[in-house]
Amino acid sequence: LQHQRLATASNIQEFSFKKKRVRILSKVIDVREGCRGGVVYWMSRDGRIQDNWALLFAQRLALKLDLPLAVVFCLVPKFLNATLRHYKFMLGGLKEVEKECRDLNIGFHLLLGPAREELPKFVRDNDIGAVICDFAPLRVPRQWVEDVTKGLPKDVPFTQVDAHNIVPLWVASDKQEYAARTIRNKINSKLGEYLTEFPVVAKHPHGKSSAKINWTSAYEMLECDKSVDEVEWAQPGYNAACRQLYEFCTRRLGKFHNQRNNPTADALSGLSPWLHFGQISAQRCVLEVKRYAKQHKASTEAFCEETIVRRELADNFCYYNENYDSLKGVTSWAYQSLDAHRKDPRDPCYKLEDLETARTYDDLWNSAQLQLVKEGKMHGFLRMYWGKKILEWTESPEQALEWTILLNDKYSLDGRDPNGYVGCMWSIGGIHDTAWKERPIFGKVRYMNYQGCKRKFDVNAFVARYGGK
Ligand code: FO1
């Protein structure tokens, strides 16, 4: 999957940029005359060089104005409840970014502290002429962007590029969508325009390479939970992500369409950690999978549904619903029926440590929890069952949601991601789902049980593998 195409500066300029991928955040749009410091891409969600529309836009601007180009990442010591498992994965990817920037004559700066403090200072100290940032729909990254918009010098243009979605979020829909079926056509009808190949990020004609980063001091400033260690199976970075994608295409894609809900079949892409940290682009994954569309038509369609429609639906939900991680964010039919069953007895009613240490009566549930803790990811089908059992076994739906999000964000490599919030809200609060026959505790939220799992896959095999007896 390496980029064989010749990286020439010209193919960026002739490449017509989809205007609607970009939105202007500042009052000014022109770089002031005589500024020599260059253009900065403030990297956050999309931690990669190639296939990154935000960086491509920044390079195109720098080339047009004959200015240097630099990537800046602002490292915060604590990000929600991210642990060392997450930071090691993220920083591992950034080390590759640093090396690739050096090869491409692009500056790379790791600033230690929140962007609102570090970025305006960097811009002033280095006479930067323009800043481009990427896009995340969650409240903390959106606050960072808002703070930087206010903090930048007034004569520095600041633009945002959705480098994560194939159809930019604000192009797909301008409101909260209620199910995949209401957003699917809004997205698929625009793929002709947006699902294009990428130009390559070219070797920049001039500019100075940056000082080598002191990664040790970066680790030392972290204040995260260091008890959750890294996982073996997933190596961070763009190159590892490309290998993971290639293996999926050549070994697992064929069984994806009819075995993706079977936790004992190795049929999934396993790309979510790299997608979460932006170390590979969803668009790159779709472009590569579609090369196999002839021999694996059903699987390719199923993969596109998940990677394009479902993922963009998750960003849509988090962006347009400020209560994306609370029961206040579920639809009224779900809230009312969960509320009506609030007093139903929960037996058993587990404490957080019973769940976290996989000590319930349910061997399948325990095995799913052990998989999450050990491998940093839980099979997608099991995550639905896992979440719904937590609703059944905790004192209130609010408590259930809080603990599913807490456990998912603490152990899953792709935690703190719109997909994770939507997954938990689907399981507990039925978002993007329909109402089902009313029953205790669940109300009209879809119920899932052990027997249902036994009908779908070999539960004993999964339990044997993860030892959740
Ligand atoms: N984004 C940053 O700009 N700086 C950070 O130090 C940072 C740490 C971090 C740790 C765990 C994690 O899951 C995400 C983290 N992010 C950080 C945010 C990430 O770049 C995305 O913006 C969010 O995950 C939204 O998808």
Side-chain angles (χ1 to χ4, degrees):
L1 292 181
Q2 296 309 323
H3 291 274
Q4 309 307 328
R5 286 157 292 165
L6 271 183
T8 53
S10 61
N11 84 349
I12 291 246
Q13 276 156 334
E14 74 211 19
F15 173 70
S16 71
F17 211 90
K18 296 274 175 272
K19 291 276 174 297
K20 289 179 273 182
R21 257 194 210 289
V22 184
R23 64 180 179 181
I24 316 277
L25 301 174
S26 53
K27 300 249 182 311
V28 295
I29 54 171
D30 294 320
V31 175
R32 84 180 170 286
E33 276 305 309
C35 116
R36 297 313 307 152
V39 174
V40 153
Y41 161 41
W42 164 31
M43 176 185 277
S44 176
R45 189 181 194 195
D46 293 283
R48 67 183 178 279
I49 294 298
Q50 293 301 343
D51 305 337
N52 183 330
W53 294 116
L55 182 56
L56 283 163
F57 184 75
Q59 180 166 57
R60 196 164 168 280
L61 179 63
L63 288 170
K64 208 165 68 176
L65 301 172
D66 195 21
L67 287 173
L69 174 65
V71 171
V72 170
F73 189 93
C74 297
L75 183 66
V76 290
K78 199 170 163 37
F79 181 70
L80 302 173
N81 65 339
T83 69
L84 190 59
R85 169 178 286 187
H86 303 101
Y87 271 99
K88 279 192 170 178
F89 195 88
M90 187 180 76
L91 292 175
L94 291 176
K95 282 178 191 161
E96 264 190 44
V97 165
E98 178 195 27
K99 187 189 166 311
E100 201 164 346
C101 281
R102 190 177 308 285
D103 296 347
L104 293 174
N105 213 8
I106 296 172
F108 179 76
H109 304 270
L110 185 75
L111 305 183
L112 304 184
R116 74 176 170 283
E117 291 162 14
E118 298 302 325
L119 199 58
K121 192 165 138 314
F122 181 87
V123 165
R124 268 190 284 277
D125 293 353
N126 294 278
D127 184 26
I128 298 300
V131 179
I132 290 91
C133 69
D134 52 38
F135 166 74
L138 305 181
R139 65 179 72 89
V140 171
R142 288 173 74 171
Q143 190 57 54
W144 291 340
V145 171
E146 205 179 301
D147 293 343
V148 168
T149 306
K150 291 193 196 102
L152 282 177
K154 293 294 156 261
D155 60 352
V156 172
F158 185 36
T159 53
Q160 181 169 47
V161 178
D162 182 349
H164 212 74
N165 293 304
I166 293 172
V167 178
L169 178 132
W170 45 78
V171 172
S173 170
D174 57 4
K175 63 179 175 32
Q176 179 179 338
E177 298 291 338
Y178 282 84
R181 103 189 105 70
T182 67
I183 200 172
R184 182 173 296 113
N185 190 41
K186 294 183 178 181
I187 289 176
N188 286 345
S189 61
K190 299 179 180 84
L191 291 182
E193 184 183 0
Y194 286 95
L195 181 53
T196 65
E197 250 306 341
F198 291 91
V200 287
V201 173
K203 190 169 177 67
H204 208 63
H206 56 206
K208 47 203 178 306
S209 283
S210 319
K212 272 197 77 51
I213 301 289
N214 177 343
W215 292 98
T216 317
S217 55
Y219 278 101
E220 275 155 9
M221 59 89 79
L222 297 182
E223 293 157 17
C224 64
D225 172 345
K226 299 193 161 110
S227 67
V228 181
D229 51 11
E230 60 199 297
V231 295
E232 282 82 40
W233 70 276
Q235 290 310 308
Y238 176 72
N239 289 307
C242 288
R243 283 195 299 276
Q244 181 79 12
L245 173 60
Y246 184 72
E247 277 160 23
F248 172 60
C249 291
T250 51
R251 290 196 208 140
R252 300 191 291 272
L253 180 60
K255 41 188 180 166
F256 183 77
H257 73 289
N258 56 9
Q259 296 194 48
R260 69 180 183 284
N261 284 335
N262 176 349
T264 62
D266 184 19
L268 299 182
S269 73
L271 284 161
S272 62
W274 292 277
L275 286 166
H276 167 67
F277 287 101
Q279 295 174 3
I280 192 163
S281 137
Q283 189 161 338
R284 170 56 57 207
C285 297
V286 168
L287 288 169
E288 297 309 320
V289 165
K290 283 178 88 92
R291 295 181 202 280
Y292 299 81
K294 277 193 206 43
Q295 65 264 49
H296 300 307
K297 186 171 181 310
S299 287
T300 305
E301 282 164 7
F303 183 79
C304 287
E305 170 68 11
E306 295 213 350
T307 308
I308 306 174
V309 178
R310 288 280 162 184
R311 270 168 34 81
E312 303 216 7
L313 177 63
D315 265 36
N316 168 279
F317 179 73
C318 293
Y319 187 72
Y320 291 113
N321 187 325
E322 62 180 1
N323 298 307
Y324 58 78
D325 54 355
S326 120
L327 214 68
K328 292 198 287 295
V330 305
T331 36
S332 50
W333 65 260
Y335 188 85
Q336 281 153 20
S337 70
L338 285 167
D339 197 36
H341 289 270
R342 188 178 289 286
K343 296 269 178 292
D344 296 0
R346 272 77 167 158
D347 177 23
C349 186
Y350 287 119
K351 293 191 298 300
L352 180 59
E353 52 272 25
D354 302 328
L355 300 171
E356 188 160 6
T357 54
R359 282 208 205 99
T360 73
Y361 71 80
D362 180 328
D363 58 0
L364 174 60
W365 191 94
N366 293 340
S367 303
Q369 176 64 19
L370 291 169
Q371 179 187 43
L372 175 65
V373 171
K374 185 161 156 282
E375 297 179 2
K377 70 189 295 294
M378 185 189 298
H379 187 278
F381 178 82
L382 274 181
R383 183 150 69 173
M384 300 192 283
Y385 175 75
W386 172 85
K388 289 180 181 290
K389 287 297 135 194
I390 294 178
L391 171 59
E392 200 171 328
W393 300 333
T394 44
E395 63 189 29
S396 74
E398 288 82 2
Q399 184 73 84
L401 185 63
E402 183 195 332
W403 286 354
T404 44
I405 290 173
L406 183 151
L407 291 172
N408 182 64
D409 282 4
K410 179 172 177 180
Y411 292 104
S412 191
L413 267 174
D414 67 355
R416 282 161 305 287
D417 191 280
N419 275 314
Y421 294 122
V422 162
C424 296
M425 291 282 274
W426 181 93
S427 296
I428 310 285
I431 65 154
H432 302 154
D433 199 359
T434 51
W436 290 68
K437 199 167 77 61
E438 185 140 10
R439 57 177 300 126
I441 303 180
F442 284 77
K444 295 176 187 159
V445 171
R446 180 198 298 255
Y447 178 65
M448 283 174 83
N449 69 3
Y450 193 90
Q451 290 319 315
C453 293
K454 279 186 97 72
R455 278 196 299 275
K456 281 192 184 300
F457 63 88
D458 182 348
V459 166
N460 296 333
F462 189 82
V463 170
R465 192 190 300 179
Y466 289 96
K469 51 194 170 303

